[in-house]
């Protein structure tokens, strides 16, 4: 199990959920699970989002996610 934390527009698209635990082997699977749970609105946000795995940016969506990590979902932010 891993912890998913949602920020800004990702939180809104997930129905106001700020965090939850999910089981997934990699980011691709995580995205699939989250879209199944929360719907297409979140799917749109996830297409443009950045993912932090235990605080480090992860661009490889096929990289294995170790158990007990925290994945932060950060949508693009406006402003500077």
């Amino acid at each position: 199990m891993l912890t998913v934390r949602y920020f800004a527009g990702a939180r809104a698209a997930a129905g106001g959920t700020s965090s939850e635990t999910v089981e997934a082997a990699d980011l691709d699977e995580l995205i699939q699970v989250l879209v199944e749970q929360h719907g297409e609105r979140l799917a749109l946000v996830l297409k443009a989002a950045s993912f932090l795995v235990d605080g480090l940016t992860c661009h490889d969506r096929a990289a294995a996610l170790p158990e007990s990590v925290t994945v932060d979902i950060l949508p693009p932010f406006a402003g500077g």
Side-chain angles (χ1 to χ4, degrees):
M1 296 296 275
L2 52 96
T3 301
V4 177
R5 297 189 306 184
Y6 301 95
F7 293 87
R11 179 180 295 159
T17 301
S18 61
S19 69
E20 63 184 319
T21 55
V22 177
E23 195 166 330
D26 56 38
L27 285 178
D28 282 333
E29 183 179 355
L30 176 63
I31 290 167
Q32 181 181 357
V33 168
L34 297 178
V35 170
E36 288 172 3
Q37 289 180 354
H38 298 287
E40 287 302 311
R41 186 171 173 213
L42 182 58
L44 292 173
V45 172
L46 295 176
K47 286 181 183 180
S50 297
F51 298 89
L52 300 180
V53 178
D54 278 349
L56 300 173
T57 302
C58 183
H59 298 289
D60 182 1
R61 293 186 178 200
L65 293 173
E67 284 192 38
S68 302
V69 298
T70 298
V71 177
D72 295 328
I73 300 176
L74 306 169
F77 293 94

